[in-house]
Amino acid sequence: MSAHTSNQALIDYTLHLADSSLIMAQRSSEWCGHGPVLEQDIAITNISLDLLGQARHFYQYAAGLINQSADHTLKPATEDSLAYLRDERAFKNLLLTELPKGDWAQTILKHFFFSVYQSLLYTRLQTVPDKDLAAIAAKSLKEVAYHVKWSSEWVIRLGDGTAESHQRMLTAIEELWPYTGEMFRAADYETGMVDPSTLHAGWLKEVQDVFAEATLPMSSESVYMHVGGKTGLHTENLGYMLAELQYLQRAYPGAEW
Amino acid sequence: MSVHELEKLFQDKIDQEIKIEPRDWMPEAYRKTNLRQISQHAHSEIVGMLPEGNWIGRAPSLKRKAILLAKVQDEGGHGLYLYSAAETLGFSRDQMIEDLHSGKAKYSSIFNYPSLTWADMGAIGWLVDGAAILNQVMLCRTSYGPYARAMVRICKEESFHQRQGFEILLVLSRGTEAQKAMCQDAINRWWWPSLMMFGPKDSESTNSDQSMKWKIKRKSNDELRQQFVDMIAEQVKVLGMTLPDPDLVWNESRKHYDFGEINWEEFWNVVKGNGPCNKQRLEARRKAHDNGAWVREAASAYAAKKAARRKTVAA
Ligand SMILES: [Fe+2]
Ligand SMILES: [Fe+2]
């Protein structure tokens, strides 16, 4: 691999991490002011803030890499140019993160799937040779541990709560499970970083444990898995999200805010 | 002890600046006034999340998004403190929320105005939080202990909000022509409603005298409003913007700014439910609550199951 392509791979990888966190944050921040109970409105906004913070760290690092490279189409880059001025085909977030917020069951399950994955990923990422990525991962792990705890408790509460909450969790599993496979399938730019396929067994084990306590069934392993987000092939949801997120930067090019 | 003696003891305490605590004897009207005011204040924090929440998705930079999210979250926290303070007066949060949703309880009318541009995030922080602070700083010394203590915690965060709002406008005021226009437009729209936040004129305020005597309030509506005008009339100069009041002028003999007459017809209309967003705000709150019903039921069902299991294990 040439120096150029490996640098591009590192940029893409960092953008992938940034995009997933940002889109997760953007989606979950839709709950702010509309949560099912005030304490949880505050809790999920906290998580949105954590994810947004992670995204910013990754974008800032990616911007630095881009600005150091000899010529790059995204130059000059800032955290905001990367978040606000790339089109949907350039976004590399997991499809799971862009799915509609749905009801509280879908939001909870999405956070559970994602945060368990993130905790496994960041645990490994903090030991990669790239010091900056390792540092961001290490710094984020404490937050992610809380996200795992918070979402697991809710999965259990809803799974083992009322007949209605149980049913809503079953629906959520059916909706979201087909988007979990993508987390463990490597894109080209992941070569040499953490191999995501090695996280799969640990993830399944943790999901299984929590589902068992929640009296929820595991989905079959043969369910068809959607992929594409990592390489810019998204669901129709993302375009609308970006239209909202990027509106002001697009409407007033070059303005400072 | 006779009621008369109890009342005298109560007023003595207040006169000596001793806080009234939940278990102390208090006149029923004092309890009711506090309950109405604190719950109304709590509702205002919660409904107040909506106009700003409206721009979280569209915040123009990641930094602004983070600041706005944290700010709206703070307001939710304020709501929590205040509901807890109100609950010490013997009324549950659920009951208070029911009263909000039925229209029986009020919240601050300011949140019945729409947030139309990004500059509104600045104007709300600067003017709305700014007006709220003056009221809340006074309430840090209110006579009911739990309310006063909640206010002390809240005031620290509010001053941040005001500074952040001002900073949003400051950046816009130094930006492009479109941004400057956006900034002035937001100030124009939020100025008068902010002045209305202090309530009716003293001459028309019904509960004021008793509230002053009980030290629930320590400054009158007009005093606070004047303080606000004096503060903002100076700060707006830093922005290089103007306030939409041709009568606004420094009065050397009063050492205060004179200002124009508030449109009281608009004020009463919004109070009565005819503001631009009254309906939408209440609907949004009701919808969140109704959609959350199954979640709250599941949480309590699970808690009950868990408690029952623990009991079985213990037995
Ligand atoms: Fe507040
Ligand atoms: Fe505030």
Side-chain angles (χ1 to χ4, degrees):
Chain A
M1 203 189 280
S2 76
H4 174 76
T5 55
S6 79
N7 193 46
Q8 184 54 45
L10 178 59
I11 290 167
D12 285 344
Y13 185 66
T14 308
L15 286 173
H16 153 64
L17 296 172
D19 291 344
S20 281
S21 292
L22 176 66
I23 298 303
M24 229 17 222
Q26 176 79 0
R27 193 55 99 196
S28 56
S29 70
E30 290 174 19
W31 281 104
C32 184
H34 305 275
V37 62
L38 191 47
E39 285 82 350
Q40 296 307 321
D41 198 308
I42 293 170
I44 195 158
T45 303
N46 241 336
I47 291 170
S48 305
L49 276 164
D50 288 343
L51 290 163
L52 181 56
Q54 289 173 22
R56 293 183 66 188
H57 285 124
F58 286 127
Y59 281 131
Q60 285 160 11
Y61 179 48
L65 293 171
I66 289 166
N67 292 335
Q68 281 157 29
S69 46
D71 63 321
H72 197 285
T73 48
L74 294 174
K75 227 170 140 174
T78 64
E79 58 169 352
D80 287 330
S81 76
L82 295 174
Y84 286 83
L85 301 176
R86 284 184 304 138
D87 292 332
E88 53 197 281
R89 295 281 281 114
F91 266 71
K92 296 170 178 55
N93 58 286
L94 295 166
L95 296 176
L96 178 74
T97 64
E98 72 200 43
L99 299 177
K101 92 181 201 294
D103 62 7
W104 190 247
Q106 297 199 25
T107 287
I108 287 300
L109 190 66
K110 192 196 294 175
H111 277 274
F112 174 61
F113 286 162
F114 185 71
S115 57
V116 171
Y117 154 79
Q118 262 198 329
S119 80
L120 295 165
L121 173 64
Y122 287 0
T123 302
R124 294 272 299 282
L125 197 61
Q126 63 178 342
T127 64
V128 296
D130 187 301
K131 289 276 174 291
D132 296 272
L133 279 185
I136 300 171
K139 199 175 162 325
S140 309
L141 260 175
K142 225 174 126 186
E143 296 166 1
V144 174
Y146 166 71
H147 306 170
V148 171
K149 181 174 182 291
W150 177 83
S151 59
S152 309
E153 285 171 2
W154 269 108
V155 167
I156 293 164
R157 218 173 268 142
L158 297 180
D160 193 19
T162 60
E164 177 175 5
S165 68
H166 186 82
Q167 185 53 48
R168 283 177 187 263
M169 283 304 288
L170 294 181
T171 308
I173 294 169
E174 206 176 309
E175 293 281 327
L176 301 185
W177 192 263
Y179 294 92
T180 55
E182 189 187 17
M183 299 191 281
F184 311 104
R185 216 169 302 164
D188 288 346
Y189 53 73
E190 286 176 89
T191 314
M193 305 307 297
V194 177
D195 176 359
S197 67
T198 60
L199 307 175
H200 198 186
W203 183 85
L204 275 175
K205 169 86 175 64
E206 223 173 311
V207 170
Q208 205 156 19
D209 288 350
V210 171
F211 272 23
E213 204 181 333
T215 68
L216 291 168
M218 285 295 278
S219 259
S220 135
E221 298 244 13
S222 64
V223 168
Y224 180 81
M225 291 293 173
H226 298 286
V227 294
K230 284 183 176 182
T231 51
L233 211 56
H234 292 277
T235 67
E236 289 180 347
N237 299 296
L238 186 67
Y240 290 98
M241 285 185 85
L242 294 184
E244 182 181 4
L245 186 136
Q246 300 180 337
Y247 151 64
L248 279 168
Q249 291 272 356
R250 300 285 195 175
Y252 302 90
E256 294 234 13
W257 302 92
Chain B
M1 226 182 285
S2 73
V3 171
H4 182 74
E5 282 168 317
L6 286 167
E7 267 172 6
K8 188 177 173 309
L9 259 174
F10 173 80
Q11 188 63 49
D12 283 350
K13 261 197 211 165
I14 290 191
D15 294 341
Q16 290 166 48
E17 301 291 335
I18 298 169
K19 292 273 179 266
I20 306 301
E21 296 301 334
R23 271 186 238 161
D24 296 347
W25 184 90
M26 61 186 86
E28 186 53 18
Y30 177 85
R31 195 187 66 82
K32 274 203 175 132
T33 304
N34 265 294
L35 180 59
R36 196 194 50 210
Q37 195 176 323
I38 303 170
S39 63
Q40 189 169 320
H41 195 158
H43 298 326
S44 300
E45 301 284 354
I46 301 307
V47 177
M49 295 168 83
L50 299 171
E52 287 178 289
N54 185 34
W55 280 87
I56 290 171
R58 291 176 289 175
S61 72
L62 298 180
K63 184 181 133 199
R64 293 282 176 217
K65 191 190 286 290
I67 291 173
L68 185 60
L69 255 179
K71 197 245 182 194
V72 180
Q73 186 195 33
D74 282 349
E75 306 301 3
H78 299 171
L80 262 191
Y81 304 159
L82 286 163
Y83 281 128
S84 304
E87 280 187 317
T88 63
L89 292 162
F91 209 63
S92 74
R93 199 208 297 184
D94 285 346
Q95 286 169 297
M96 289 183 249
I97 289 174
E98 217 180 282
D99 284 354
L100 171 70
H101 294 174
S102 74
K104 192 177 155 204
K106 298 277 177 230
Y107 56 89
S108 178
S109 278
I110 191 77
F111 302 118
N112 290 319
Y113 289 86
S115 65
L116 301 178
T117 72
W118 171 251
D120 289 24
M121 298 304 99
I124 291 175
W126 178 43
L127 297 174
V128 176
D129 287 77
I133 288 168
L134 294 183
N135 193 36
Q136 290 171 350
V137 165
M138 167 189 79
L139 289 171
C140 288
R141 299 197 303 124
T142 192
S143 58
Y144 188 56
Y147 194 20
R149 288 189 289 274
M151 277 301 125
V152 172
R153 292 174 75 179
I154 289 172
C155 274
K156 283 183 199 147
E157 292 175 355
E158 294 296 3
S159 56
F160 260 115
H161 297 169
Q162 196 197 13
R163 250 179 291 159
Q164 287 160 349
F166 186 78
E167 218 254 322
I168 287 175
L169 294 184
L170 193 62
V171 171
L172 294 178
S173 74
R174 293 169 179 174
T176 63
E177 285 312 310
Q179 286 177 305
K180 285 178 192 163
M182 196 187 276
C183 179
Q184 183 64 61
D185 168 63
I187 294 170
N188 291 349
R189 282 182 291 110
W190 289 95
W191 171 247
W192 290 107
S194 304
L195 286 189
M196 295 178 197
M197 284 174 72
F198 297 97
K201 277 197 248 190
D202 292 350
S203 53
E204 287 172 28
S205 185
T206 41
N207 308 326
S208 264
D209 287 351
Q210 187 62 71
S211 284
M212 293 282 231
K213 191 173 165 235
W214 280 337
K215 294 188 182 169
I216 296 175
K217 283 181 73 131
R218 287 168 181 270
K219 287 182 181 174
S220 75
N221 294 355
D222 287 337
E223 271 177 275
L224 287 168
R225 187 162 20 236
Q226 181 69 62
Q227 205 184 335
F228 179 70
V229 171
D230 290 347
M231 173 175 86
I232 298 298
E234 287 303 315
Q235 291 175 354
V236 76
K237 293 178 189 167
V238 182
L239 296 175
M241 298 281 146
T242 56
L243 297 173
D245 179 359
D247 297 327
L248 185 81
V249 60
W250 176 252
N251 182 325
E252 186 55 37
S253 63
R254 286 204 312 128
K255 299 283 178 212
H256 285 297
Y257 277 90
D258 290 337
F259 55 99
E261 190 63 27
I262 288 169
N263 180 347
W264 293 108
E265 196 190 322
E266 175 182 326
F267 173 85
W268 289 114
N269 253 315
V270 182
V271 169
K272 281 177 200 142
N274 300 324
C277 301
N278 292 59
K279 200 163 164 275
Q280 290 86 337
R281 298 296 184 234
L282 262 194
E283 258 168 25
R285 284 314 314 157
R286 278 194 211 115
K287 193 172 155 219
H289 190 74
D290 294 348
N291 287 346
W294 70 270
V295 179
R296 296 189 300 275
E297 278 158 25
S300 51
Y302 178 73
K305 276 188 205 177
K306 227 180 145 181
R309 275 176 215 150
R310 222 176 296 138
K311 232 178 181 175
T312 327
V313 173

